[in-house]
């Protein structure tokens, strides 16, 4: 019934015209007296239908989420943010899923202002932890007015493998080292639900899964994959982590056992190429990444068109082995230069 179709409150991002709902889409109908510009987005991307309020918020903020309840083509449920982005080829804005991640502030260089009350002290540096986008972050892990260059790395997703991590649980983790037993995780690999605590893994330097002692130990696939996804890393970083998780595979019921083979994150000697950038001192990888970022920022090496891309100068070229690298590659690249 045409009368039931909504008119969105925010204007078309492309032409400033009116955006109206129709049978399948929300579409620009143009400014009064003008033609529609072609901007539109589907009402049910990946099988999940927008509420009108969500469509309004999406159009207003150019992003929404993370939202749950999407289904991949293969039928698997997934959670994602949705953003409205300019598409150079189409010369118009379009909808995109945005999985990720945690690098927003660093990418854009925008200063973050927190709007929530602090959840507790960062397990790494003791600063306040706040909500930021789809993550809980240390207030020193994102650029703020108080400290434009992040000095900490603490971040943990608000939704991890479909399991929402409520503020209450993150507060508990920060206060006691772990959450209650949460039972709505879904393994990306096996699609099975599983239960785990989220716990601060001091040696890995991130939030990790801690499985309750059980006579049915978690399947290796589930444990490995979930460990990798725990910190909401990018897929490249996640793959990397998966490897190490496999390598240190141990009865997953005790974190202590799983940790044992891994020495505390002692410093490792940087390669000559890396030493030229961050100095000769032995460093653990997170520290190396931090120093690398200081170098990148100090030398203004982020591609202005895409802050995710690092444009190498001579020293970085020796480290990267190429002219540029994506920020999500950094940790992996640095790993190859340490030890
Ligand atoms: Zn328009
Ligand atoms: Zn911190």
């Amino acid at each position: 019934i045409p009368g039931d179709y909504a008119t969105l409150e925010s204007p078309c991002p492309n032409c400033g015209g009116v955006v109206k709902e129709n049978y399948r889409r929300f579409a620009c109908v143009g400014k009064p007296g003008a033609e529609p510009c072609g901007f539109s987005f589907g009402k049910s991307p990946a099988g999940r239908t927008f509420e009108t309020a969500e469509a309004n918020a999406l159009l207003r903020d150019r992003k929404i989420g993370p939202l749950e309840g999407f289904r991949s083509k293969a039928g698997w449920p997934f959670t994602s943010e949705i953003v409205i982005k300019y598409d150079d080829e189409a010369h118009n804005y379009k909808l995109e899923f945005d999985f990720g991640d945690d690098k927003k502030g660093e990418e854009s260089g925008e200063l973050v202002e927190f709007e929530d009350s602090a959840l507790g002290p960062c397990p790494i540096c003791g600063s306040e932890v706040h909500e930021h986008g789809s993550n809980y972050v240390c207030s020193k892990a994102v650029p703020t007015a108080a400290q434009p260059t992040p000095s900490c790395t603490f971040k943990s997703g608000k939704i991890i493998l479909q399991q929402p991590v409520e503020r209450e649980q993150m507060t508990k983790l920060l206060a006691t080292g772990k959450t209650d037993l949460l039972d709505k995780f879904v393994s990306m690999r096996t699609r099975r639900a599983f239960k785990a605590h989220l716990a601060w893994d001091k040696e890995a330097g991130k939030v990790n899964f801690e499985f309750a002692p059980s006579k049915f130990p978690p399947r290796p696939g589930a444990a490995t994959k979930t460990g990798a996804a725990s910190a909401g890393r990018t897929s490249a970083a996640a793959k990397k982590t998966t490897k190490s998780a496999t390598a240190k595979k141990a009865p997953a019921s005790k974190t202590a056992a799983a940790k044992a083979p891994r020495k505390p994150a002692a410093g490792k000697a940087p390669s000559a190429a890396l030493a030229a950038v961050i100095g000769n001192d032995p460093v653990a990888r997170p520290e190396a990444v931090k120093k690398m970022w200081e170098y990148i920022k100090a030398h203004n090496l982020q591609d202005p068109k895409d802050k995710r891309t690092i444009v190498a100068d001579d020293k970085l070229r020796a480290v990267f082995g190429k002219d540029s690298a994506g920020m999500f590659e950094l940790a992996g690249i640095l790993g190859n230069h340490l030890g």
Side-chain angles (χ1 to χ4, degrees):
I1 311 153
D4 284 351
Y5 288 144
T7 299
L8 298 187
E9 289 153 16
S10 296
C12 168
N14 192 46
C15 75
V18 177
V19 178
K20 281 189 172 174
E21 182 183 2
N22 63 34
Y23 179 52
R24 287 181 184 281
R25 307 180 70 80
F26 292 99
C28 173
V29 297
K31 284 183 169 174
E35 294 291 307
C37 74
F39 169 77
S40 73
F41 59 95
K43 284 158 74 168
S44 305
R48 182 192 183 285
T49 302
F50 285 122
E51 313 272 346
T52 306
E54 289 173 343
N56 268 321
L58 171 61
L59 199 56
R60 182 185 66 230
D61 303 335
R62 305 270 168 96
K63 66 168 187 178
I64 190 168
L67 300 175
E68 295 185 70
F70 298 107
R71 296 242 159 213
S72 72
K73 284 184 181 135
W76 305 125
F78 69 94
T79 299
S80 178
E81 287 189 40
I82 290 191
V83 295
I84 294 181
K85 275 206 172 143
Y86 192 76
D87 179 14
D88 288 321
E89 270 173 42
H91 299 292
N92 207 328
Y93 289 79
K94 66 169 189 189
L95 224 64
E96 267 181 28
F97 289 105
D98 186 351
F99 299 100
D101 276 315
D102 33 349
K103 305 279 189 182
K104 292 253 159 57
E106 285 165 38
E107 275 166 22
S108 64
E110 274 171 36
L111 299 182
V112 174
E113 282 181 59
F114 298 112
E115 288 159 2
D116 62 328
S117 57
L119 292 119
C122 167
I124 299 175
C125 75
S127 302
E128 291 181 350
V129 171
H130 287 275
E131 291 185 39
H132 175 50
S134 54
N135 290 295
Y136 297 107
V137 303
C138 170
S139 51
K140 293 197 169 164
V142 291
T144 58
Q147 184 181 307
T149 303
S151 62
C152 186
T153 54
F154 179 79
K155 284 169 194 173
S156 186
K158 286 188 198 169
I159 299 180
I160 294 176
L161 296 180
Q162 315 286 334
Q163 168 75 56
V165 183
E166 306 294 349
R167 283 180 63 91
E168 178 197 353
Q169 291 298 334
M170 184 47 60
T171 302
K172 186 168 270 191
L173 186 153
L174 296 173
T176 68
K178 67 177 172 183
T179 64
D180 293 336
L181 189 63
L182 305 175
D183 60 2
K184 296 194 177 58
F185 295 106
V186 179
S187 159
M188 306 226 321
R189 182 179 298 184
T190 65
R191 308 297 157 194
R192 287 166 196 254
F194 66 93
K195 296 178 191 180
H197 301 273
L198 290 173
W200 175 244
D201 182 340
K202 202 169 181 180
E203 285 163 26
K206 61 174 192 157
V207 172
N208 231 327
F209 294 93
E210 187 177 305
F211 297 101
S214 161
K215 50 184 171 169
F216 304 111
R219 296 156 49 93
T224 305
K225 188 69 196 176
T226 54
S230 66
R233 302 285 181 89
T234 61
S235 59
K239 268 180 219 145
K240 201 85 191 172
T241 317
T242 307
K243 263 186 228 154
S244 65
T246 312
K248 68 172 183 182
K249 191 100 275 303
S253 54
K254 284 212 181 83
T255 342
K259 277 184 211 161
R262 197 167 185 175
K263 285 286 168 227
K268 291 182 175 175
S271 70
L274 184 57
V277 178
I278 66 166
N280 280 310
D281 293 345
V283 286
R285 189 156 66 175
E287 179 69 10
V289 171
K290 195 179 124 198
K291 288 187 169 181
M292 176 64 91
W293 270 111
E294 283 166 11
Y295 181 89
I296 290 164
K297 300 239 167 168
H299 295 78
N300 201 16
L301 298 174
Q302 281 168 285
D303 183 342
K305 287 191 207 116
D306 177 4
K307 301 249 172 155
R308 280 177 260 207
T309 302
I310 314 305
V311 182
D313 61 3
D314 288 343
K315 286 181 181 177
L316 287 190
R317 202 170 292 120
V319 176
F320 294 172
K322 53 187 176 179
D323 291 336
S324 69
M327 66 189 314
F328 59 87
E329 293 179 81
L330 280 186
I333 290 172
L334 293 190
N336 295 333
H337 283 270
L338 290 171

